[in-house]
Amino acid sequence: AYEGSTSYLDTNFRAQWERNLRQFRSQHPSGSKYLSETWKGKSRFFRPKTRAAVRKSEASCAAAFFSTADVVDITATDDNDDVQQASALFWKHAIDYRLTKSVPWFLLTMGAYQDTQVMGACVAYNDWDFENDRPGPEVIPLENIRLDPAARWTDPINSSPYLIHLLPMYVHEVRTRWAGAGLSDGELLAARTNEWDSTRLVREGQRTDPKEGANTGIKDFDVVWVRRVFMRRDGQDWVYYTLSNQRLLTPEVVPVTALYPWLKARVRPYVMGISVIETHRNYPAGPIELAAPVQNEINELVNQRRDNVRLVLDKRYLVKRHKQVDLRSLSRNVAGSSTLVDDPELDVKPLEWNDVTSSAYQEEDRLNLDHDDLMGTFSGSSVAS
């Protein structure tokens, strides 16, 4: 199940996710001509329209969720039932307290929404933190979840015959939680190195993978990968943990309701959300993917115009070979400087370019409008246009 779902994800979605992440970070996609040696001396600017649009969408999301002091509004279905009214009042204050005091609700909400904008979907795990006696929800990176490709698009989490969650855990946490498993250093080392992920590296800006662990020599602080597996068999969901693909950690496979007694049958403690509806796709395209062609066209237009302006202001020259021409002075082209030549008419010839016209700026304005339409955001300049 893991290998099949991973192969499907790698083949169909991983490259697009990484392009989305680079675009969100205002970086040209891998393989772009702007990253080649040919474009080293040319303009390679990335106009951050995508990041600006996402930030505006996040502001709208924050206003929708947090514009009032009360996080939730709970009322009784039957206003004439005193018990329902008392229950609604109690749960309103209880949930308001949890989402304000003991759960980082703002970070979770905005993080999940950002995932839908960038990756196209978000996944959250909902559990209870028994050590601190409070809710323990967390937003999961999309690349750490494995689902069956044939799951229903309306409910991929619960319709998939399996769900595999890749968990990064410290060695000391694994040894404490599964103390009776008798884990060897070799098995832990294999679980540390098995889950290299290119999407995670792109999200970090191609920096060192933070899940590799610090090279401090303290093995208990190394990060290893554990898999939480939900598997459906004979109409019932079962759950167990494995140390990467090395060995089983839990002493036995148990029904989901044994670990999560508040869940109904055939329901898992995960939820998946999207911000763009795209029928019959478990991983729909997000706004960043939809606007990518327009963003690329904006970058192309801006860089061409910048190159044109540079050539107009700082010309190129044809210089005759083997002549006594001060090439360093010519290439610097500093105002008020002198360039030594034998015959300026024959040895050096400037190349002339026409200045870019206002039509380039008008075209950029139209591309900005197209981008705002796709992303669903409107700036002051867009309204004026």
Side-chain angles (χ1 to χ4, degrees), residues 295-343:
Q295 173 70 74
N296 294 337
E297 191 66 20
I298 291 173
N299 292 338
E300 184 76 10
L301 179 65
V302 169
N303 286 312
Q304 285 182 344
R305 187 178 68 237
R306 285 163 59 92
D307 283 335
N308 177 261
V309 171
R310 285 178 177 178
L311 289 170
V312 170
L313 299 178
D314 196 3
K315 295 180 174 58
R316 287 175 58 85
Y317 298 89
L318 296 178
V319 181
K320 197 170 185 179
R321 288 190 182 96
H322 311 303
K323 293 296 182 178
Q324 298 298 318
V325 178
D326 189 351
L327 294 178
R328 180 173 296 181
S329 172
L330 200 65
S331 61
R332 286 176 178 174
N333 203 15
V334 179
S337 64
S338 300
T339 302
L340 301 178
V341 297
D342 290 341
D343 189 341

Side-chain angles (χ1 to χ4, degrees), residues 217-270:
I218 305 175
K219 297 303 180 184
D220 278 353
F221 293 164
D222 286 345
V223 176
V224 297
W225 288 88
V226 173
R227 298 177 186 175
R228 181 188 289 130
V229 182
F230 294 81
M231 196 69 63
R232 186 161 295 157
R233 190 66 177 256
D234 298 330
Q236 186 175 4
D237 275 350
W238 304 80
V239 60
Y240 56 92
Y241 290 81
T242 67
L243 181 65
S244 187
N245 61 352
Q246 300 301 304
R247 57 174 297 179
L248 188 68
L249 288 174
T250 46
E252 61 181 358
V253 179
V254 298
V256 170
T257 51
L259 288 183
Y260 307 93
W262 58 87
L263 292 178
K264 298 179 181 179
R266 298 174 67 90
V267 176
R268 292 161 179 160
Y270 291 82

